[in-house]
């Protein structure tokens, strides 16, 4: 039997009939960046990231492993690097794996008590997202940051906690370089 899904290891492009695409523009990221005025000043159709996903079972239904490639564009909103929304998993004990294909950035990880740390992402780097850990990615480079994520199909996603409380730190450009800056604004 031949698989109907293909992952191009050079580009991260997932293709095949079951693969879905979602796009996230700056206009759909209200509340995620520190500088809301800078976000609002953008052309709201500006693409920040798109995701190609292969989910053999629907979200929340057990029995499969899902994978998705995220293509996160380079850019800044004010001094904050383009980022993914970030989320906890609805089933808190479910973990995830990220594999970087190309580009460079930081994986931001936050425990439930808001302890926040980062792991550098570069081509080939593999990152384990432990249970009960919110995860978000920031693109600190000048090219798209491409990575593949793997997670169990029953996992589910909790975006609300991040919308309400944010992460414990933000990835900002300070003196021309990425810096992880504690964010006490939210809580
Ligand atoms: C899913 C996995 C990724 C993200 C993607 C976009 O568990 O973590 O596929 O969905 O990177 O990020 P977000 O936070 O907008 O879903
Ligand atoms: Zn996840």
């Amino acid at each position: 039997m031949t698989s109907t899904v293909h992952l191009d290891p050079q580009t991260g492009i997932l293709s095949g009939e079951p693969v879905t695409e979602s796009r996230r523009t700056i206009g759909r990221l209200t509340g995620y960046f520190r500088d809301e005025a800078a976000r609002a000043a953008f052309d709201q159709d500006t693409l920040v990231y798109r995701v190609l996903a292969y989910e053999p079972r629907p979200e929340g239904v057990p029995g499969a492993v899902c994978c998705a490639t995220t293509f996160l564009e380079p850019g800044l909103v004010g001094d904050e690097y383009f980022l993914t929304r970030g989320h906890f998993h609805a089933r808190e004990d479910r973990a995830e794996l990220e594999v970087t294909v190309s580009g460079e950035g930081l994986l931001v990880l936050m425990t439930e008590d808001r302890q926040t740390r980062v792991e550098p992402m570069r081509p080939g780097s593999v990152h384990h997202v432990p249970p009960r850990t919110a995860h978000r990615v920031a693109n600190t480079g000048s090219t798209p940051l491409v990575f593949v994520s793997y997670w169990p199909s029953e996992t589910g996603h909790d975006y609300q906690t991040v919308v309400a409380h944010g992460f414990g730190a933000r990835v900002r450009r300070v003196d021309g370089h990425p810096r992880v800056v504690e964010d006490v604004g939210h809580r």
Side-chain angles (χ1 to χ4, degrees):
M1 202 170 93
T2 320
S3 168
T4 59
V5 178
H6 183 256
L7 171 62
D8 183 327
Q10 310 296 330
T11 64
I13 292 175
L14 265 172
S15 56
E17 187 273 319
V19 174
T20 58
E21 177 175 9
S22 59
R23 301 168 73 84
R24 198 142 293 268
T25 57
I26 203 97
R28 295 178 62 207
L29 287 169
T30 309
Y32 287 98
F33 290 97
R34 178 173 164 272
D35 188 343
E36 169 55 22
R39 191 210 60 80
F42 264 81
D43 174 346
Q44 296 298 290
D45 291 331
T46 303
L47 180 69
V48 179
Y49 58 98
R50 68 188 184 106
V51 179
L52 294 172
Y54 171 41
E55 299 176 82
R57 293 272 171 100
E59 174 157 335
V61 177
V65 175
C66 301
C67 72
T69 306
T70 302
F71 303 83
L72 175 59
E73 297 297 319
L76 289 162
V77 174
D79 67 2
E80 189 173 13
Y81 294 94
F82 275 14
L83 46 72
T84 60
R85 291 174 295 172
H87 54 264
F88 283 98
H89 287 157
R91 293 208 185 180
E92 309 89 346
D93 58 346
R94 297 309 196 266
E96 182 172 312
L97 210 60
E98 323 282 7
V99 180
T100 312
V101 173
S102 57
E104 58 183 291
L106 293 173
L107 172 63
V108 185
L109 298 163
M110 179 178 71
T111 58
E112 288 170 338
D113 60 359
R114 296 186 63 78
Q115 297 298 313
T116 304
R117 64 188 178 88
V118 299
E119 291 185 6
M121 298 176 78
R122 54 186 123 65
S125 65
V126 177
H127 308 269
H128 183 248
V129 179
R132 298 178 178 79
T133 306
H135 41 292
R136 153 183 289 173
V137 170
N139 185 348
T140 58
S142 53
T143 60
L145 175 57
V146 181
F147 59 96
V148 185
S149 308
Y150 301 87
W151 70 97
S153 53
E154 72 275 16
T155 297
H157 295 83
D158 163 22
Y159 291 98
Q160 282 316 113
T161 306
V162 166
V163 170
H165 303 291
F167 277 67
R170 292 182 177 276
V171 185
R172 294 164 61 181
R173 187 169 69 175
V174 179
D175 298 332
H177 298 284
R179 187 177 295 173
V180 181
V181 183
E182 192 185 353
D183 184 26
V184 289
H186 250 91
R187 263 160 232 264

